Amino acid sequence: MTSTTAPEAPAAAGQPALSEVELLIGGMTCASCAARVEKKLNRMDGVTATVNYATEKARVTYPPGVEVADLITTVVKTGYTAEEPAPPRGDDEEETSSGTDPETAALRTRLIVSALLALPVVLLAMIPPLQFDNWQWLSLTLAAPVVVWGAAPFHRAAWTNLRHGAATMDTLVSVGTLAAFGWSLWALFLGDAGEPGMRHPFELTVSRADGASMIYLEVAAGVTAFILLGRYLEARSKRQAGAALRALMELGAKDVTVLRDGREVRVPAERLAVGDRFVVRPGEKIATDGTVVEGSSAVDASMLTGESVPVDVTVGDTVTGATVNAGGRLVVEATRIGADTQLARMAKLVEDAQTGKAQVQRLADRIAGVFVPVVLLIAAATFGLWLGNTGDAVAAFTAAVAVLIIACPCALGLATPTALMVGTGRGAQLGILIKGPEVLESTRRVDTVVLDKTGTVTTGRMSLRAVHAAEGADERELLRLAGALEHASEHPVARAVAAGAAERVGTLPEVERFENVPGRGVRGRVEGRDVAVGRLSEVFGELPPELARAKEDAERAGHTAVVAGWDGGARGVLAVADTVKETSAKAVRALRALGLTPMLLTGDNRAVAEAVARTVGIDEDRVIAEVLPEDKADVVRRLQEEGRSVAMVGDGVNDAAALAVADLGLSLGTGTDAAIEAGDLTLVRGDLRVAADAIRLSRRTLSTIKGNLVWAFGYNVAALPLAAAGLLNPMIAGAAMAFSSVFVVTNSLRLRSFH
């Protein structure tokens, strides 16, 4: 689903009508870039803009007199690119679904080539026994492509920032690597470092006299490779941002059988028009929202409504696009198409929820926002002070380069991606997928967890729960005859009865003269008896008192009760219900142990919801039932307005908007693609107990990231004065920088022991 210029919104009296457009923003490398674009757009008269770094989109509201081209021009002048989303094409969808992404693939290639070239450079510089005559020229040959080509994205971003008076981590990476590389070139071609017998000692002592014989190619190449690794991991995570919308829209039917001049014609679903009549056979998806004009059936709407029991529909009833016809043949007249359908509106809800999320500034970027310009000033001041006090340009430049290299934010850049990589790797082993570092910050704050019922707390599959035979009736005979009749029906309740009967009594007999009675049940002849099974007691007349009580008790417990009998008399009541997962009660206890308040949210009726809540240990006053799909996100927002930080656990399409708007979305991997992509955490195994593990792992990973950042930043703060005072030559600074990176990686690897 793409968004272009929206129709003019209604304006208040005396106010000009506003239009809205969504722009794709290119060239942003950190959250500060998004803030800069947003600031520039909001400076335009009458323009209100929100820029989301994660989705790389800007939603802009603008008045008459302002054109979309003006908005794009403003973004371009800020140093970035902007364009309206193009309509989706088939080949684009295939490319997306195949997982290929040209930008990410290019970044991966840049990373692999840079890492392969940088590794021998680092080894030669840091391990003196490996050095041979003219080894420094081999290092230059290998390092030059890394610094020039591998680090090109950092250099371009630094240049863009410079032109607009800003500085980010890209600036420090670019300046640090170019300074180290530039010094090395000077030492090789104009100093003593290019002599054939030169060796590069690893010393802790400071010698200002040998600056002309020192090269720092390993620093320039190694920093580039490490930062590229972090950028690649970030890019791979970010490209998931728009997948929820694609998953939602892909749920719709691709083709539809339309009635044209009395003939059935198969056409693409997008060619449907309001008023068209189309045929939906059993098992097919309903192509769009409409009204039934012929036939009757049961429609499985669980993917949209969360309702576990299929809904019986007949002539005059409305049906929703993307739901599944589970029974007979239907002819439907289209009433809404395209962006007006319920499915499209739900996709819009997900899009709005994603765009409206608070922009989480990455901790490293927040630190670098102040740290980078300070380091540049310290380096310049160091050079000036040394030159003024000693008059030795080599010593001054050596100290300044040491400041830049010791401050090069390699550890800062690795703090998040390495912990995230190890944490997500361990999570995958435990059935947990964490989508990005922004997710982790939410896990520490959440205090309320909202659980969708169908498919999350329950299995989402109907099963036979109880059999109540009338006085004088044999239970096995009741199951044999009722199961045989229901076996001939496609209705999910009937399938549950048939499966339960077959499991308890074995092979079921054949059925003759089977007939479906819309809205009442089914009937047919089994072993010479006229058998009927239905939800309504009118099929059999007045129910005996014991069966009436059994039916009432079953319905009070949240079960679906059907009456079975033969030869005109009711012989028993069969109770069917969605099955609660065996692990759900343990999962609720585990969530409580984490300090969370569990709540149950469902589109089912209140009796069903409260019965499930009692089974798993959720308080009945924490049950929110009979909620329409569009309202689930509103429920989450209402809880947030009450001051709660909300985690949402779900698996259906109807949960996608709520998952997106929640502070933390946890989707079951056994659910729909839309819910999985909209969630922040995906529980691959579909076991609700993993939700508690996911929150614990996320909190542990966040703690590791913060510990890494504290170390990396603290190391810089401690080392900068030493470098500025001349107590560290650039080689030692490079070694210290490498050690800080090793420490960060080692600290991250501790997450492998998470249980």
Side-chain angles (χ1 to χ4, degrees):
M1 176 178 160
T2 54
S3 173
T4 54
T5 307
E8 292 186 350
Q15 297 294 323
L18 300 177
S19 299
E20 184 179 272
V21 68
E22 183 181 82
L23 299 176
L24 299 179
I25 309 297
M28 296 190 297
T29 59
C30 64
S32 61
C33 298
R36 191 152 58 248
V37 174
E38 188 174 296
K39 183 178 180 181
K40 290 288 186 181
L41 287 172
N42 284 326
R43 284 182 176 175
M44 299 175 68
D45 290 338
V47 172
T48 303
T50 301
V51 180
N52 190 312
Y53 169 58
T55 60
E56 297 183 333
K57 292 180 180 179
R59 176 159 292 178
V60 188
T61 303
Y62 58 97
V66 176
E67 302 293 336
V68 175
D70 299 330
L71 303 174
I72 293 176
T73 300
T74 298
V75 176
V76 171
K77 286 181 178 179
T78 311
Y80 305 91
T81 63
E83 61 181 359
E84 292 186 73
R89 299 178 306 175
D91 54 348
D92 291 338
E93 292 176 359
E94 289 176 7
E95 179 179 341
T96 300
S97 62
S98 67
T100 58
D101 175 13
E103 291 185 7
T104 304
L107 182 57
R108 182 176 64 242
T109 301
R110 195 181 297 270
L111 166 63
I112 292 173
V113 173
S114 298
L116 291 176
L117 292 175
L119 180 61
V121 176
V122 173
L123 292 177
L124 284 171
M126 305 300 283
I127 306 176
L130 296 180
Q131 296 170 8
F132 51 86
D133 288 347
N134 295 316
W135 67 273
Q136 66 272 40
W137 297 103
L138 174 62
S139 291
L140 175 63
T141 304
L142 296 174
V146 178
V147 177
V148 176
W149 174 77
F154 309 133
H155 303 324
R156 283 196 296 267
W159 174 244
T160 299
N161 293 330
L162 179 63
R163 286 166 45 210
H164 295 90
T168 64
M169 282 180 63
D170 288 317
T171 307
L172 204 52
V173 172
S174 179
V175 172
T177 54
L178 289 178
F181 188 69
W183 175 266
S184 300
L185 290 178
W186 179 85
L188 284 169
F189 289 99
L190 301 178
D192 303 327
E195 295 180 359
M198 191 275 279
R199 295 293 183 266
H200 200 284
F202 184 78
E203 298 176 354
L204 297 177
T205 58
V206 177
S207 175
R208 292 195 290 265
D210 63 353
S213 64
M214 301 295 290
I215 59 174
Y216 315 110
L217 295 171
E218 77 285 357
V219 174
V223 167
T224 299
F226 277 127
I227 302 301
L228 281 174
L229 172 62
R231 288 292 168 85
Y232 171 68
L233 295 174
E234 178 183 358
R236 193 173 61 175
S237 176
K238 272 177 57 182
R239 74 176 297 272
Q240 302 292 328
L245 299 180
R246 294 194 299 272
L248 274 175
M249 297 311 296
E250 288 172 1
L251 281 172
K254 302 298 185 291
D255 300 306
V256 59
T257 302
V258 182
L259 293 175
R260 298 274 167 84
D261 300 324
R263 296 186 301 109
E264 295 185 2
V265 181
R266 197 76 176 171
V267 299
E270 59 265 21
R271 287 173 55 185
L272 268 178
V274 173
D276 280 349
R277 295 191 173 191
F278 57 93
V279 177
V280 188
R281 293 183 173 83
E284 289 185 340
K285 289 181 179 178
I286 297 173
T288 193
D289 298 357
T291 303
V292 178
V293 294
E294 182 183 323
S296 60
S297 181
V299 173
D300 179 4
S302 59
M303 65 177 63
L304 289 178
T305 66
E307 175 64 51
S308 56
V309 178
V311 179
D312 291 319
V313 296
T314 187
V315 175
D317 292 335
T318 59
V319 290
T320 305
T323 57
V324 178
N325 178 14
R329 178 181 182 272
L330 294 175
V331 177
V332 180
E333 181 175 314
T335 56
R336 291 185 298 192
I337 60 172
D340 294 329
T341 64
Q342 181 172 335
L343 180 65
R345 292 201 309 272
M346 290 178 66
K348 186 69 163 57
L349 282 175
V350 175
E351 184 179 34
D352 290 343
Q354 288 185 340
T355 304
K357 276 189 176 180
Q359 298 178 21
V360 182
Q361 293 278 348
R362 296 190 187 278
L363 295 177
D365 281 325
R366 287 204 295 269
I367 294 171
V370 178
F371 186 62
V372 172
V374 169
V375 168
L376 294 174
L377 289 175
I378 292 175
T382 299
F383 180 81
L385 290 173
W386 272 91
L387 187 62
N389 291 334
T390 67
D392 187 344
V394 173
F397 194 76
T398 301
V401 170
V403 169
L404 286 173
I405 294 174
I406 199 73
C408 210
C410 189
L412 280 174
L414 285 171
T416 294
T418 55
L420 185 64
M421 182 170 60
V422 179
T424 52
R426 180 57 181 153
Q429 294 175 334
L430 301 173
I432 302 164
L433 297 181
I434 304 171
K435 292 197 173 178
E438 300 96 337
V439 174
L440 307 177
E441 296 190 28
S442 301
T443 61
R444 186 175 294 278
R445 298 191 301 267
V446 293
D447 52 39
T448 302
V449 57
V450 177
L451 306 175
D452 172 62
K453 182 186 74 69
T454 305
T456 302
V457 176
T458 67
T459 62
R461 296 185 299 273
M462 307 293 286
S463 63
L464 182 61
R465 304 296 296 277
V467 180
H468 303 277
E471 185 177 350
D474 180 68
E475 182 176 311
R476 288 183 61 82
E477 184 179 26
L478 172 67
L479 285 171
R480 285 184 71 253
L481 299 182
L485 185 63
E486 294 283 59
H487 185 67
S489 172
E490 295 295 326
H491 197 288
V493 170
R495 289 201 297 268
V497 171
E503 183 179 344
R504 301 185 192 192
V505 302
T507 305
L508 301 175
E510 296 293 327
V511 179
E512 300 174 354
R513 300 205 298 269
F514 174 81
E515 181 184 357
N516 180 34
V517 183
R520 300 179 70 187
V522 293
R523 59 191 177 195
R525 193 163 182 80
V526 183
E527 294 184 341
R529 295 184 175 90
D530 292 323
V531 183
V533 181
R535 287 200 218 171
L536 303 179
S537 59
E538 292 88 274
V539 174
F540 309 99
E542 188 74 22
L543 289 179
E546 72 272 18
L547 291 186
R549 284 195 302 272
K551 185 172 182 292
E552 291 175 3
D553 291 342
E555 292 174 344
R556 193 178 300 113
H559 298 170
T560 299
V562 294
V563 181
W566 51 86
D567 298 335
R571 310 290 176 158
V573 171
L574 307 174
V576 174
D578 193 1
T579 306
V580 176
K581 293 180 180 178
E582 295 180 359
T583 58
S584 292
K586 294 179 180 177
V588 169
R589 289 195 295 272
L591 291 169
R592 287 188 190 276
L594 289 172
L596 304 176
T597 301
M599 303 183 74
L600 190 67
L601 178 65
T602 181
D604 263 343
N605 65 68
R606 184 152 206 91
V608 172
E610 290 182 350
V612 172
R614 286 193 298 271
T615 302
V616 299
I618 296 177
D619 299 334
E620 291 188 10
D621 61 346
R622 302 293 184 186
V623 174
I624 306 174
E626 301 173 12
V627 178
L628 295 175
E630 301 94 320
D631 296 337
K632 287 197 172 185
D634 292 335
V635 169
V636 173
R637 289 191 186 97
R638 189 167 65 248
L639 292 172
Q640 290 170 329
E641 289 169 0
E642 294 173 2
R644 299 174 183 268
S645 184
V646 181
M648 172 73 190
V649 187
D651 77 322
V653 176
N654 62 307
D655 303 321
L659 286 167
V661 80
D663 298 286
L664 180 68
L666 296 94
S667 56
L668 297 188
T670 52
T672 63
D673 290 342
I676 292 171
E677 298 298 345
D680 301 309
L681 294 167
T682 300
L683 315 181
V684 178
R685 289 186 289 164
D687 186 340
L688 190 57
R689 289 179 300 179
V690 184
D693 291 335
I695 293 175
R696 287 198 302 114
L697 175 60
S698 298
R699 289 177 176 178
R700 178 81 64 83
T701 305
L702 177 62
S703 296
T704 301
I705 289 174
K706 289 186 174 181
N708 286 347
L709 290 171
V710 167
W711 160 261
F713 185 63
Y715 143 82
N716 284 124
V717 170
L720 274 173
L722 298 178
L727 300 178
L728 290 176
N729 63 38
M731 181 59 202
I732 297 176
M737 182 276 297
F739 173 75
S740 72
S741 302
V742 171
F743 177 87
V744 164
V745 173
T746 304
N747 190 44
S748 298
L749 290 175
R750 293 169 57 238
L751 287 168
R752 288 181 175 179
S753 62
F754 176 86
H755 293 288

